[in-house]
Coordinates of all heavy atoms in Angstrom, one line a residue:
Chain P
H6 N -26.2 -10.4 -60.6 CA -25.2 -11.5 -60.4 C -23.9 -11.1 -61.2 O -22.8 -11.4 -60.7 CB -25.8 -12.8 -60.9 CG -26.9 -13.3 -60.0 ND1 -27.4 -14.5 -60.0 CD2 -27.6 -12.6 -59.0 CE1 -28.4 -14.7 -59.1 NE2 -28.5 -13.5 -58.5
S16 N -12.2 -6.8 -56.4 CA -11.6 -6.9 -55.0 C -10.4 -7.8 -55.0 O -9.4 -7.5 -54.3 CB -12.7 -7.3 -54.0 OG -13.9 -6.6 -54.1
Y20 N -6.7 -6.7 -53.8 CA -5.9 -7.5 -52.9 C -4.6 -7.8 -53.5 O -3.5 -7.6 -52.9 CB -6.6 -8.8 -52.5 CG -5.7 -9.7 -51.8 CD1 -5.3 -9.6 -50.5 CD2 -5.2 -10.8 -52.6 CE1 -4.4 -10.4 -49.9 CE2 -4.3 -11.7 -52.0 CZ -3.9 -11.5 -50.7 OH -3.0 -12.4 -50.1
L23 N -2.2 -4.8 -53.7 CA -1.7 -4.4 -52.4 C -0.8 -5.4 -51.8 O 0.2 -5.0 -51.1 CB -2.9 -4.1 -51.4 CG -3.8 -2.9 -51.8 CD1 -4.9 -2.9 -50.9 CD2 -3.0 -1.6 -51.8
A24 N -1.0 -6.7 -52.0 CA -0.3 -7.7 -51.2 C 1.0 -8.1 -51.9 O 2.0 -8.5 -51.2 CB -1.2 -8.9 -51.0
R25 N 1.1 -8.0 -53.2 CA 2.2 -8.6 -54.0 C 3.4 -7.7 -53.9 O 3.3 -6.5 -53.8 CB 1.8 -8.9 -55.4 CG 0.8 -9.9 -55.6 CD 1.3 -11.3 -55.2 NE 0.5 -12.3 -55.8 CZ 0.9 -13.6 -55.9 NH1 2.1 -13.9 -55.5 NH2 0.1 -14.5 -56.4
R26 N 4.6 -8.3 -54.0 CA 5.8 -7.6 -54.1 C 6.4 -7.5 -55.5 O 7.0 -6.6 -55.9 CB 6.9 -8.2 -53.2 CG 6.5 -8.2 -51.7 CD 7.5 -9.1 -51.0 NE 8.8 -8.6 -50.9 CZ 9.9 -9.3 -51.0 NH1 9.9 -10.6 -51.2 NH2 11.1 -8.7 -51.0
E36 N -4.5 -6.4 -64.4 CA -5.3 -6.9 -65.5 C -6.6 -7.5 -65.0 O -7.6 -7.3 -65.7 CB -4.5 -8.0 -66.2 CG -3.2 -7.6 -66.9 CD -3.4 -6.6 -68.0 OE1 -4.5 -6.6 -68.6 OE2 -2.5 -5.9 -68.3
N40 N -10.2 -6.3 -66.1 CA -11.2 -7.3 -66.6 C -12.5 -7.1 -65.9 O -13.6 -7.2 -66.6 CB -10.6 -8.6 -66.3 CG -11.1 -9.7 -67.2 OD1 -11.4 -9.4 -68.4 ND2 -11.3 -10.9 -66.6
S51 N -25.3 -4.6 -72.2 CA -26.2 -5.7 -72.7 C -27.6 -5.6 -72.1 O -28.6 -5.9 -72.7 CB -25.5 -7.0 -72.4 OG -26.2 -8.1 -72.9
Y52 N -27.6 -5.2 -70.8 CA -28.9 -5.1 -70.1 C -29.6 -3.8 -70.4 O -30.8 -3.7 -70.0 CB -28.8 -5.4 -68.6 CG -28.7 -6.8 -68.3 CD1 -27.5 -7.5 -68.4 CD2 -29.8 -7.5 -67.9 CE1 -27.3 -8.8 -68.0 CE2 -29.7 -8.9 -67.6 CZ -28.5 -9.5 -67.7 OH -28.4 -10.8 -67.4
R84 N 13.6 -2.7 -67.7 CA 14.6 -1.7 -67.5 C 15.1 -1.7 -66.0 O 16.3 -1.7 -65.7 CB 14.0 -0.4 -67.9 CG 15.0 0.7 -67.8 CD 16.2 0.4 -68.7 NE 16.7 1.6 -69.4 CZ 17.6 1.5 -70.3 NH1 18.0 0.3 -70.8 NH2 18.0 2.6 -70.9
R87 N 17.1 -4.7 -65.2 CA 18.5 -4.6 -65.8 C 19.4 -3.7 -65.0 O 20.5 -4.0 -64.8 CB 18.4 -4.1 -67.2 CG 19.5 -4.6 -68.1 CD 19.4 -4.1 -69.5 NE 18.3 -4.7 -70.2 CZ 17.5 -4.1 -71.1 NH1 17.7 -2.8 -71.3 NH2 16.6 -4.8 -71.7
Chain U
Y13 N -23.2 -19.8 -63.5 CA -22.6 -20.0 -62.2 C -21.3 -20.8 -62.3 O -20.3 -20.5 -61.7 CB -23.5 -20.7 -61.3 CG -24.7 -19.8 -60.9 CD1 -26.0 -20.1 -61.1 CD2 -24.4 -18.5 -60.4 CE1 -27.0 -19.3 -60.8 CE2 -25.4 -17.6 -60.1 CZ -26.8 -18.0 -60.3 OH -27.8 -17.1 -60.0
V26 N -4.4 -16.5 -59.2 CA -3.5 -15.5 -59.7 C -2.9 -14.7 -58.6 O -1.6 -14.5 -58.5 CB -4.2 -14.5 -60.6 CG1 -3.3 -13.3 -61.0 CG2 -4.7 -15.1 -61.9
V27 N -3.7 -14.4 -57.6 CA -3.1 -13.5 -56.5 C -2.6 -14.3 -55.3 O -1.9 -13.8 -54.4 CB -4.1 -12.5 -56.0 CG1 -4.5 -11.5 -57.0 CG2 -5.4 -13.2 -55.4
L29 N -1.1 -17.8 -55.5 CA 0.0 -18.7 -55.7 C 1.4 -18.1 -55.6 O 1.5 -16.9 -55.8 CB -0.1 -19.4 -57.1 CG -1.3 -20.3 -57.2 CD1 -1.4 -20.9 -58.5 CD2 -1.2 -21.4 -56.1
T46 N -13.8 -15.3 -68.6 CA -14.6 -14.1 -68.7 C -15.2 -13.9 -70.1 O -16.3 -13.4 -70.3 CB -13.7 -12.9 -68.4 OG1 -13.0 -13.2 -67.2 CG2 -14.5 -11.7 -68.1
L53 N -23.7 -12.8 -72.2 CA -24.3 -11.5 -72.3 C -24.6 -11.2 -73.7 O -25.1 -10.0 -74.0 CB -23.3 -10.4 -71.8 CG -23.2 -10.3 -70.3 CD1 -22.0 -9.5 -69.9 CD2 -24.4 -9.7 -69.7
Q62 N -11.4 -10.4 -76.4 CA -10.8 -10.8 -75.1 C -9.8 -12.0 -75.3 O -8.7 -12.0 -74.9 CB -11.9 -11.3 -74.2 CG -11.5 -11.8 -72.9 CD -11.4 -10.8 -71.8 OE1 -11.6 -9.6 -72.1 NE2 -11.1 -11.2 -70.6
Q89 N 8.0 -15.9 -51.1 CA 7.8 -14.5 -50.6 C 7.3 -13.6 -51.7 O 7.9 -12.5 -51.9 CB 9.1 -14.0 -50.0 CG 9.2 -14.2 -48.5 CD 7.8 -14.1 -47.8 OE1 7.3 -15.1 -47.5 NE2 7.3 -12.9 -47.7
L90 N 6.3 -14.0 -52.5 CA 5.8 -13.1 -53.5 C 4.9 -12.0 -52.8 O 4.7 -11.0 -53.4 CB 5.0 -13.9 -54.5 CG 5.8 -14.5 -55.6 CD1 4.9 -15.3 -56.5 CD2 6.5 -13.4 -56.4
G92 N 4.1 -9.4 -49.6 CA 4.9 -8.6 -48.6 C 4.2 -8.7 -47.3 O 3.2 -9.4 -47.0
Q94 N 2.6 -6.5 -45.9 CA 1.3 -5.8 -45.8 C 0.1 -6.6 -46.1 O -1.0 -6.1 -46.2 CB 1.3 -4.6 -46.7 CG 1.3 -4.9 -48.2 CD 2.7 -5.3 -48.8 OE1 3.5 -5.8 -48.1 NE2 2.8 -5.2 -50.1
Q95 N 0.3 -8.0 -46.3 CA -0.8 -8.8 -46.7 C -2.1 -8.8 -45.9 O -3.1 -8.7 -46.5 CB -0.2 -10.3 -46.8 CG -1.0 -11.2 -47.7 CD -0.4 -12.6 -47.8 OE1 0.5 -12.9 -47.1 NE2 -1.0 -13.4 -48.7
P121 N -34.3 -5.8 -69.2 CA -35.2 -6.2 -70.3 C -35.7 -7.7 -70.1 O -35.2 -8.4 -69.3 CB -34.2 -6.1 -71.5 CG -32.9 -6.3 -70.9 CD -32.9 -5.8 -69.5
E165 N 21.4 -0.3 -74.0 CA 22.3 0.8 -74.3 C 23.2 0.5 -75.5 O 23.7 -0.6 -75.5 CB 23.2 1.1 -73.1 CG 22.5 1.3 -71.8 CD 21.7 2.6 -71.7 OE1 22.1 3.6 -72.4 OE2 20.8 2.7 -70.9

Side-chain angles (χ1 to χ4, degrees):
Chain P
H6 293 196
S16 308
Y20 163 78
L23 293 175
R25 292 292 199 164
R26 295 168 69 218
E36 296 295 338
N40 203 36
S51 187
Y52 278 84
R84 184 57 142 192
R87 206 178 291 144
Chain U
Y13 292 124
V26 173
V27 296
L29 288 179
T46 313
L53 284 167
Q62 177 91 359
Q89 262 330 102
L90 275 175
Q94 71 280 22
Q95 202 176 7
E165 308 284 339

